[in-house]
Amino acid sequence: MTFDMGVLLETQRLLLRPFEEGDAADVLAASHDPEILRWMPWAPAQTAETALAWCVTHAHADPTLGVNFAVVAGDRFAGTVGLGRTDWADGRVEVGYWIAPWARRKGYAVEATRAAAAYAFEKGLHRVELLAAVGNLASQGVAAKAGFTREGVLREAMVIPAGRVDAVLFSLLESELT
């Protein structure tokens, strides 16, 4: 099994598309945001070169393992959503996301997460998991609003710039995506 290369997903307000070279400046700018610096382990070391490498190479890695989408609202880069840690045999995948500061509190993360989950189910996966740091209440709110069920806390299961932290595990089953 594999995800499709070059796939486009559309929601009511968003386009989820493959990353492009032109997204690098927006990725770099977002990496300087205090909230992204707080939660994303890659952000403190982000440079123009690493942002470009992400957009043209790493975001398009092995489609058997995952897929990453640039989230576009109107004609503006709003963030990213991706599916990774895919286990085709067990039918599960993990979804992750971040949203640029200007695009927060508009429901874009919820909308993009649900679209990515729907795509995972279309590809035959049974379960979409989402991990959020215990202290990241905004991300936990996205999970809840997207219809995910909180299952429990995984001890020291996530690395953020400050170190290892506990993570809340959420999941969504295909039958729950309405």
Side-chain angles (χ1 to χ4, degrees):
M1 298 293 301
T2 185
F3 293 107
D4 302 311
M5 296 293 290
V7 67
L8 300 174
L9 304 178
E10 291 187 56
T11 70
Q12 184 177 10
R13 302 178 298 158
L14 304 173
L15 172 65
L16 281 58
R17 60 159 172 76
F19 274 85
E20 301 169 351
E21 184 176 336
D23 298 324
D26 291 318
V27 171
L28 180 62
S31 73
H32 299 301
D33 171 66
E35 284 301 299
I36 290 180
L37 283 165
R38 183 176 180 195
W39 302 115
M40 299 294 142
W42 51 265
Q46 188 76 279
T47 65
E49 293 77 21
T50 58
L52 180 61
W54 167 257
C55 292
V56 300
T57 303
H58 303 296
H60 306 281
D62 188 345
T64 62
L65 302 177
V67 62
N68 294 290
F69 298 98
V71 176
V72 179
D75 60 353
R76 191 168 180 195
F77 179 89
T80 183
V81 65
L83 299 169
R85 298 184 186 177
T86 309
D87 185 331
W88 293 102
D90 285 346
R92 81 176 168 254
V93 67
E94 184 178 327
V95 65
Y97 47 83
W98 59 260
I99 298 295
W102 74 266
R104 293 185 187 136
R105 290 176 276 298
K106 299 178 188 297
Y108 294 158
V110 171
E111 200 170 319
T113 298
R114 290 181 60 80
Y119 176 64
F121 296 139
E122 287 173 18
K123 296 304 293 178
L125 294 162
H126 173 72
R127 174 185 167 93
V128 178
E129 297 176 344
L130 188 157
L131 289 175
V134 166
N136 191 340
L137 300 180
S139 192
Q140 291 177 52
V142 168
K145 289 175 185 170
F148 284 68
T149 299
R150 180 186 167 119
E151 293 188 346
V153 175
L154 304 176
R155 298 180 317 140
E156 296 185 5
M158 180 176 279
V159 176
I160 64 172
R164 286 204 167 272
V165 296
D166 294 350
V168 182
L169 173 64
F170 294 86
S171 70
L172 182 70
L173 305 178
E174 184 175 14
S175 62
E176 298 168 329
L177 187 67
T178 56

